Amino acid sequence: MADFYNQKNQYGQEIQLRKKSLEDLKKIPKSEVAGGLSIENDSISAQRINYKIANAYIAQDKYDEAIPYLEESIKDADVDDDLLVRKDATRKLSEVYKYKGDYTKALETYQEYVAVVDTLYVRKEQEIARAAQFNRELASKQSRISGLEKERELTQSKYSLALTEQQLVAESIKRQNWIIYSLIFGMMLMGLAAYFFYRSNKQQKLANNLLALKSLRSQMNPHFIFNALNSVNNFIAKSDERSANRYLSDFSTLMRAVLENSDEDFIPLSKELELLELYTKLEHSRFSDKFDYEIIVDEGIDIDAFQIPPMLLQPYIENAIWHGLRYREDKGFLKIELRQKDKRALEISIIDNGIGRKKSAALKTQNQKTKIQRNGQYQKKNRDIERYV
């Protein structure tokens, strides 16, 4: 408020407020005032308040009233070692003496002002020197700190480099282990895949063989039945009732056994020998003047311990009779022999003294040509009948 009154040139009210402020300041303990409470570069101190009261009187040309306050301001500034206020108050006091015409005191006071200024300059130089020293020390410490910081960064870089190298080595080892494990796992997978492929291929081959056997039996059985019925028909045509009955009895026994084993992939060897015995007996009944036969089984063979696909041997016996023995002019011989090679293998031999494969193939070709000629004559006769009709 006092500063506001000063700006408005209301010096009386300014002086009144500043004197009240000075009285209030004296009531505050000295220890609290020494701290120098400051507001906008203006310390709340007695020397400054006295100096501003004196300026207010000077603005009103009341020099005599201003002198005591300037002297008090200089005194308080000297006690507090406030050279700035002391310098300003001393200069202002010299000017007041000059205005009043007291040049002697004005000169004395001005000399005191110059001394204060010199002291202030010396103190400023000391402060500048101390500031420069402090700056040098600060720069030295800063340089030392920078060096230590660079050394720390270098150490940190070395540590980071070592840590990175260690991590790279660990990653390399981990990658190598992963590659090794992958190769081992891949080899295991390949081995497992090869095993499953081998087993699947083996099972597929077995399934194909079983399918071929079933297909063979499906083609063989109707062919054999047709031939057997023709044989019965021949016996009936010859009025040989006893032979027909005996043949039908053996044929029915064979057919029953074949039907019972039709769903089996493997049967005991003993059952297969019974079927072969019946089949060979039936064929011998048809061609008794063409061959004799013999079935020889090694005594050391456990015929119940071996398994064999049903009717596996029948096509070989049929071929030996139909394409070898029945074309002989004299009586031939069929021999069926079973020998054991080792604990897990048998050797089955079907031996005949027929006319041989080449001669049989030639006879078959000649018979086929004769049949074709007969069929051609029959078809020509049918066409002639159709044209006549």
Side-chain angles (χ1 to χ4, degrees):
M1 289 299 297
D3 291 336
F4 174 77
Y5 286 139
N6 178 268
Q7 293 174 3
K8 297 296 183 181
N9 297 324
Q10 298 178 5
Y11 301 111
Q13 296 177 352
E14 178 190 357
I15 293 170
Q16 185 179 358
L17 286 177
R18 292 194 187 281
K19 287 182 179 181
K20 184 176 185 306
S21 176
L22 186 61
E23 292 176 359
D24 293 337
L25 185 61
K26 291 178 180 180
K27 297 178 182 179
I28 300 175
K30 191 67 176 177
S31 59
E32 296 184 11
V33 179
L37 300 176
S38 62
I39 300 176
E40 296 182 357
N41 300 323
D42 185 13
S43 298
I44 303 175
S45 59
Q47 58 267 24
R48 286 188 177 275
I49 297 174
N50 287 321
Y51 177 72
K52 290 184 177 183
I53 292 173
N55 282 333
Y57 281 121
I58 292 171
Q60 300 177 67
D61 296 330
K62 296 180 179 181
Y63 302 116
D64 293 333
E65 287 84 353
I67 291 173
Y69 288 99
L70 288 174
E71 291 176 348
E72 188 67 22
S73 175
I74 294 170
K75 180 181 177 181
D76 292 337
D78 188 36
V79 173
D80 293 339
D81 197 19
D82 190 353
L83 293 178
L84 292 176
V85 176
R86 183 180 175 187
K87 171 180 71 69
D88 294 337
T90 304
R91 180 180 59 81
K92 186 65 69 174
L93 182 61
S94 175
E95 292 176 355
V96 169
Y97 284 133
K98 179 182 177 182
Y99 294 151
K100 289 182 63 176
D102 191 349
Y103 298 105
T104 302
K105 288 186 177 180
L107 179 59
E108 292 176 358
T109 307
Y110 185 77
Q111 290 175 349
E112 292 178 1
Y113 164 73
V114 172
V116 173
V117 170
D118 291 339
T119 304
L120 184 61
Y121 280 142
V122 170
R123 186 171 295 181
K124 287 293 183 181
E125 289 177 355
Q126 291 176 352
E127 290 180 357
I128 293 172
R130 286 196 297 270
Q133 180 66 26
F134 176 76
N135 288 334
R136 287 193 295 272
E137 292 176 358
L138 183 62
S140 177
K141 292 181 180 179
Q142 187 66 33
S143 177
R144 178 61 178 167
I145 291 172
S146 299
L148 293 175
E149 184 67 22
K150 289 181 180 179
E151 185 177 355
R152 185 191 66 80
E153 290 178 356
L154 181 59
T155 304
Q156 183 68 28
S157 299
K158 291 181 179 179
Y159 174 75
S160 300
L161 183 61
L163 184 61
T164 303
E165 185 177 359
Q166 185 178 2
Q167 291 177 352
L168 289 175
V169 172
E171 288 293 332
S172 178
I173 295 174
K174 186 185 296 183
R175 191 179 298 110
Q176 292 177 359
N177 292 335
W178 184 84
I179 293 173
I180 293 172
Y181 294 150
S182 298
L183 290 176
I184 295 174
F185 183 70
M187 293 176 65
M188 291 176 62
L189 285 181
M190 290 178 63
L192 190 62
Y195 169 73
F196 282 116
F197 177 76
Y198 170 77
R199 191 175 70 174
S200 176
N201 190 27
K202 189 174 180 181
Q203 291 176 351
Q204 186 65 34
K205 287 183 178 180
L206 180 60
N208 292 337
N209 292 334
L210 293 177
L211 183 61
L213 289 174
K214 290 181 179 179
S215 176
L216 179 62
R217 290 201 299 269
S218 66
Q219 296 175 4
M220 174 192 66
N221 293 335
H223 178 67
F224 171 68
I225 293 172
F226 178 76
N227 291 334
L229 292 177
N230 282 337
S231 297
V232 174
N233 187 36
N234 288 332
F235 287 129
I236 294 174
K238 295 177 182 179
S239 300
D240 190 354
E241 182 179 351
R242 180 177 297 177
S243 297
N245 289 334
R246 186 174 58 254
Y247 191 92
L248 281 175
S249 178
D250 292 339
F251 176 72
S252 63
T253 302
L254 178 62
M255 286 296 99
R256 185 180 300 109
V258 170
L259 291 174
E260 288 176 355
N261 298 327
S262 61
D263 293 332
E264 300 293 334
D265 295 326
F266 294 91
I267 61 174
L269 181 59
S270 57
K271 288 187 178 181
E272 178 68 9
L273 291 176
E274 292 177 2
L275 295 176
L276 291 179
E277 178 71 26
L278 284 173
Y279 174 75
T280 309
K281 182 179 179 182
L282 290 173
E283 293 291 61
H284 184 261
S285 298
R286 295 177 60 195
F287 307 107
S288 58
D289 58 339
K290 292 293 183 180
F291 74 96
D292 290 327
Y293 72 93
E294 182 182 12
I295 301 177
I296 302 173
V297 180
D298 191 355
E299 294 180 356
I301 299 177
D302 185 5
I303 58 177
D304 291 325
F306 287 90
Q307 299 283 327
I308 189 171
M311 297 297 286
L312 177 65
L313 304 177
Q314 186 269 343
Y316 300 99
I317 298 173
E318 181 181 5
N319 288 335
I321 296 172
W322 279 77
H323 301 291
L325 294 172
R326 77 185 182 107
Y327 290 115
R328 284 178 59 91
E329 295 180 358
D330 56 348
K331 199 170 189 179
F333 187 78
L334 175 65
K335 182 180 179 181
I336 304 170
E337 185 176 4
L338 281 77
R339 293 191 302 271
Q340 186 165 358
K341 295 182 64 177
D342 52 46
K343 292 182 179 180
R344 298 180 59 84
L346 289 178
E347 182 179 0
I348 303 175
S349 302
I350 301 173
I351 306 170
D352 70 273
N353 57 353
I355 62 175
R357 294 184 179 181
K358 292 182 178 180
K359 192 172 181 180
S360 176
L363 290 174
K364 181 178 180 182
T365 303
Q366 184 177 356
N367 291 336
Q368 288 176 347
K369 290 180 179 180
T370 303
K371 186 176 181 180
I372 291 172
Q373 290 177 357
R374 289 178 182 177
N375 288 336
Q377 292 175 359
Y378 178 74
Q379 292 175 359
K380 182 176 181 300
K381 185 177 180 180
N382 287 338
R383 286 195 297 271
D384 292 341
I385 293 172
E386 288 176 359
R387 282 197 301 268
Y388 175 77
V389 173

